[in-house]
Amino acid sequence: MEFKAEQLASTLIIGSDYVADVAGFADKAVNAGVTMIILNETRLEGVEKQNLAQYIRDITRAKQVAFLIADDVKLAEAVAADGVYVSDRHQVAEVSAAAVVAGLYTGVAINNRTELLEDVPAGLAFYSVSPVYPSAHVDETQPIEHLAGLTTVVQNSTLPVVAMGGITMARLKDIVRMGVHGAAAVDAFVNAEDLDATVKAFNDTFGGMTSTKHWETPAMVWQFLVSTPTLSKASCTNK
């Protein structure tokens, strides 16, 4: 599947570290309408990991949901995933080169504007900025710059940006004001009381971001926000 920025709107990060039944929850999430799944599986290995990845590939393909695997080009190629998520930006050139050969695109995690790549490698499709807020799932190797740091990345990036880390439904409207194309989360989805409503809130919030790279004026932001359906009560768990 070719990368499109709208695929970032509701990005589920999933793996055995986050939920007991990875396959079952991925199935629920796909049916709820998530736009992208990133498999970050650190406990399973070998055939078990490949079988899990293949299952998620099959259900995402059926619903036209983008599917990426973290840091494993060979596995992504084996199951015909759409791309590879690179968790270490220092590896992005090497991983992207291998991914392009395999017909895959990549996304890479960065912390702030200083980590934007001067030379964007072929195949790199998006940046994830994390953590935007404190999160139990993201290592805070540098001070968190929150929304101010996020917006400086968007303003200086030539690629679409997805926000990650401490994402909750209550924070979505603050995040979309920064000009990102979507938000990636674990807990906001896994711990949702109503998964369908949560996914819809993500998709509704970022649905207007596909027509332009960034918001160019405050008026554009306001026009989008007032036209966005009111979000339901939020689950305030972190990413």
Side-chain angles (χ1 to χ4, degrees):
M1 182 189 303
E2 181 182 353
F3 174 78
K4 297 180 181 179
E6 55 260 39
Q7 293 167 355
L8 300 173
S10 54
T11 298
L12 167 66
I13 304 166
I14 196 70
S16 298
D17 287 335
Y18 315 128
V19 64
D21 183 3
V22 177
F25 190 82
D27 189 50
K28 291 179 182 178
V30 166
N31 287 319
V34 294
T35 54
M36 177 180 285
I37 291 181
I38 298 175
L39 177 62
N40 182 26
E41 180 54 57
T42 61
R43 297 186 182 183
L44 299 181
E45 297 179 351
V47 174
E48 286 185 312
K49 185 175 181 179
Q50 181 162 341
N51 287 343
L52 174 62
Q54 188 64 65
Y55 177 79
I56 299 176
R57 168 70 291 184
D58 291 343
I59 62 174
T60 52
R61 181 186 288 116
K63 295 284 189 177
Q64 292 294 298
V65 174
F67 177 48
L68 283 73
I69 296 176
D71 303 317
D72 194 332
V73 176
K74 289 184 179 180
L75 179 58
E77 182 179 17
V79 302
D82 298 303
V84 178
Y85 180 71
V86 185
S87 61
D88 181 356
R89 65 184 177 86
H90 298 100
Q91 302 297 320
V92 68
E94 179 182 350
V95 174
S96 293
V100 167
V101 172
L104 309 167
Y105 61 80
T106 56
V108 63
I110 64 172
N111 183 261
N112 54 45
R113 181 181 61 81
T114 66
E115 296 181 357
L116 287 168
L117 302 174
E118 292 185 8
D119 297 316
V120 176
L124 183 62
F126 67 91
Y127 291 106
S128 75
V129 178
S130 66
V132 177
Y133 299 97
S135 169
H137 305 300
V138 181
D139 291 334
E140 299 171 20
T141 57
Q142 298 186 35
I144 297 177
E145 297 184 4
H146 299 290
L147 297 178
L150 181 60
T151 193
T152 59
V153 170
V154 172
Q155 290 169 352
N156 289 276
S157 173
T158 59
L159 299 175
V161 176
V162 61
M164 182 186 297
I167 307 300
T168 68
M169 284 175 61
R171 291 167 170 164
L172 292 182
K173 281 202 170 183
D174 288 331
I175 293 168
V176 74
R177 288 186 179 98
M178 303 303 106
V180 298
H181 283 81
V186 175
D187 293 343
F189 297 124
V190 171
N191 295 333
E193 293 183 4
D194 186 335
L195 182 59
D196 288 352
T198 298
V199 173
K200 185 177 186 300
F202 275 67
N203 291 339
D204 286 349
T205 299
F206 298 104
M209 292 302 298
T210 58
S211 61
T212 182
K213 177 173 173 284
H214 307 309
W215 296 120
E216 295 178 357
T217 68
M220 291 173 64
V221 177
W222 177 250
Q223 183 178 6
F224 173 69
L225 290 174
V226 297
S227 66
T228 302
T230 302
L231 298 181
S232 58
K233 288 185 178 180
S235 164
C236 291
T237 53
N238 289 345
K239 168 189 175 268

